[in-house]
Structures are given as C-alpha cells and as structure tokens.
Amino acid sequence: MYYLEINHLRKSFGDLEVLSDISLTLEQGKVLAIIGPSGSGKSTLLRCATYLERMDGGDLTYLGEKAVNMDEKGNSVYAKPAKLKEIQQNFGLVFQNFNLFPHFSVIKNIMHPLIKVQKKSKEEAKEIARKLLEKMGLSEKENSYPYQLSGGQQQRVSIARALALNPKVLFFDEPTSALDPELTGEILKVIRELASEHMTMVIVTHEMNFAKNVADYVIFMDKGVIVEEGSPDQIFTSDNPRTKEFLGKFD
C-alpha cells in the first residue's frame, strides 16, 4: 500500500493551467524530491496534496483512504468534511516562511495543534513539545518568541510543530529558501536525520546536492508537467535535453 498516491491531477487558475496530468506514488519510509524551475508547479502540487488548493481533476489517496475521487469526466470530487479531516491526520506540511504564531512562545507554537487538533491535555502536549525541542537542539529556547530566533531556529520549530502531530507523510515546501547558506545547513541536517529514521517525506527543493544524496526518488517538473522521474542517479545523469539544461545551471 502506498502512503501517498496522486493520479491525473489537474489544476488551473482561471485560464492558466498550472498542473497537467500529474501522477505519483510514495512508499513508506521513502524520500521524494521534486525539483524544477520557478513556476513549474512544484509548490502548487504540494498545496493540492495538503488541501490548501482545490484540485480540478484527478484523485488523491493517503494510506488507501480516498480524500479526492475522480468522476467519470476526470473531475475531482472531495470526500465529506469529516472524512477529509480524518485523512488530514496522515500528513504535515513545513512551509518555506515558517508560519509560526508570533504571539506564541516556541513551546506554545508546538503545543497549540496538539491541544486544538488532537485534544491532548496541556501536560501531555508540553511533554511531546519538549521532546521535539530537544531533538531539534532547541530545549533552551522553549520560552522564546519567534522574533528572538534565527531563521534556522524558526524553521526547526516549524518542523517540530509538524512532527508533533505524528504524521505519516511530511511535506517540505522549499524549506531553506528563506535562509542564508549558513542556516540552510542546519535544516538540511535535520531533514537528513529524519530520512535516516525512515520518515516518509516529499521535499520541494532547489538544493540539488541534497536531492541527489538524500532522496530515494526524484521528479523533475517544468511548465506544470512531470518531464522526467527516477532515481537520483537516473535524473542527475539524464540525457533529456530539458533536464540537462536545468541541472547545468547548478554545476
């Protein structure tokens, strides 16, 4: 059984088709890297997979549970709200711009979804949050506020917040794009550690060496379609002219 399955995904904004016939699968414990130029539809794909954008066509399945079905015309039909909410427990999303609550302390940022979404007690939520802050090397920052942290520290808090809900699949949308090179290394180290623990992940990234060394599978997108997909070795030694042109800019 796949942890994530997307079939024939279509998405348009007005007359502009942003995603055209996107299909992918992800197995438990695997890391999928999605690469491609700006405007290729990578982030929209993640937003569709996490309910932040509504799919026009295709279907979406987590662990065998259908969040979105495809009707006979190929159009997307969403499950009932209660079912969507239930399936939503299977995934988490780490944004490129952290999305922390500025008026909450670090520990409260992590506790909040545990209390609100999973209805855990404050004591249990605090215990989970503290363990995750320790894992992220941020135990001493639990009473700090986001503005008092570096960008790398804020992103580690947002990863801890996503992990707190114990998702089966964790999505990262350009997790280092808002960081300078020195802080980028902090976040890539955290994601490498999660990969070594067999966390199932989908990572939209412009860090090519990272995609090459950490991903089990790579998808190269351009202009709303999957141009090529395969193992890192296959993609990074590809003879496809478009893939070669894109990767050549990172040499």
Side-chain angles (χ1 to χ4, degrees):
M1 178 180 62
Y2 293 117
Y3 266 38
L4 169 66
E5 190 170 1
I6 296 173
N7 290 303
H8 308 298
L9 167 56
R10 290 184 290 106
K11 176 66 186 173
S12 296
F13 295 110
D15 293 331
L16 178 65
E17 188 173 53
V18 181
L19 296 172
S20 176
D21 198 21
I22 300 289
S23 296
L24 63 88
T25 56
L26 182 63
E27 296 175 12
Q28 179 183 3
K30 298 298 184 184
V31 179
L32 167 63
I34 303 176
I35 63 172
S38 296
S40 59
K42 306 183 302 294
S43 290
T44 303
L45 171 56
L46 254 61
R47 291 177 68 81
C48 286
T50 54
Y51 303 173
L52 294 174
E53 295 288 354
R54 200 164 178 88
M55 296 163 55
D56 297 327
D59 61 40
L60 171 64
T61 308
Y62 284 95
L63 284 83
E65 297 273 358
K66 285 270 187 188
V68 185
N69 270 295
M70 195 164 39
D71 69 14
E72 64 278 358
K73 294 180 180 175
N75 296 322
S76 292
V77 180
Y78 277 71
K80 288 187 165 55
K83 186 67 176 174
L84 286 174
K85 194 172 180 184
E86 179 192 320
I87 294 171
Q88 191 172 10
Q89 305 299 308
N90 288 314
F91 62 79
L93 174 61
V94 177
F95 298 89
Q96 52 185 293
N97 293 317
F98 322 136
N99 278 32
L100 298 173
F101 293 113
H103 56 294
F104 283 177
S105 66
V106 162
I107 196 160
K108 195 172 178 187
N109 261 286
I110 300 169
M111 289 171 61
H112 182 72
L114 285 165
I115 294 166
K116 287 290 182 187
V117 177
Q118 295 190 343
K119 310 300 182 190
K120 294 192 184 297
S121 67
K122 280 189 177 177
E123 292 72 25
E124 190 180 358
K126 186 171 279 189
E127 185 182 346
I128 292 167
R130 280 184 168 153
K131 281 181 181 171
L132 284 163
L133 284 173
E134 185 180 354
K135 183 182 176 79
M136 295 293 150
L138 292 171
S139 293
E140 76 287 357
K141 299 292 186 183
E142 71 170 60
N143 295 315
S144 300
Y145 285 81
Y147 76 90
Q148 297 172 308
L149 305 180
S150 70
Q153 289 170 332
Q154 288 185 62
Q155 190 62 297
R156 278 185 277 159
V157 173
S158 68
I159 293 170
R161 181 180 60 185
L163 288 171
L165 294 173
N166 201 22
K168 298 287 193 296
V169 181
L170 191 54
F171 293 91
F172 291 87
D173 186 9
E174 297 276 15
T176 60
S177 67
L179 304 176
D180 64 38
E182 194 172 342
L183 298 177
T184 291
E186 285 181 28
I187 302 308
L188 297 183
K189 181 173 179 250
V190 169
I191 299 173
R192 275 195 185 93
E193 285 169 1
L194 291 173
S196 73
E197 295 165 9
H198 306 293
M199 182 78 205
T200 309
M201 294 184 281
V202 180
I203 306 167
V204 168
T205 184
H206 58 274
E207 300 286 340
M208 292 304 119
N209 279 332
F210 177 74
K212 192 176 186 177
N213 295 321
V214 176
D216 298 292
Y217 202 72
V218 179
I219 284 175
F220 170 54
M221 289 181 64
D222 190 26
K223 297 178 181 172
V225 300
I226 294 175
V227 175
E228 197 170 5
E229 56 190 303
S231 69
D233 280 349
Q234 287 172 317
I235 298 303
F236 285 92
T237 59
S238 171
D239 288 327
N240 182 292
R242 184 64 190 98
T243 308
K244 283 178 78 171
E245 181 193 6
F246 174 73
L247 291 173
K249 293 171 182 172
F250 294 90
D251 289 342

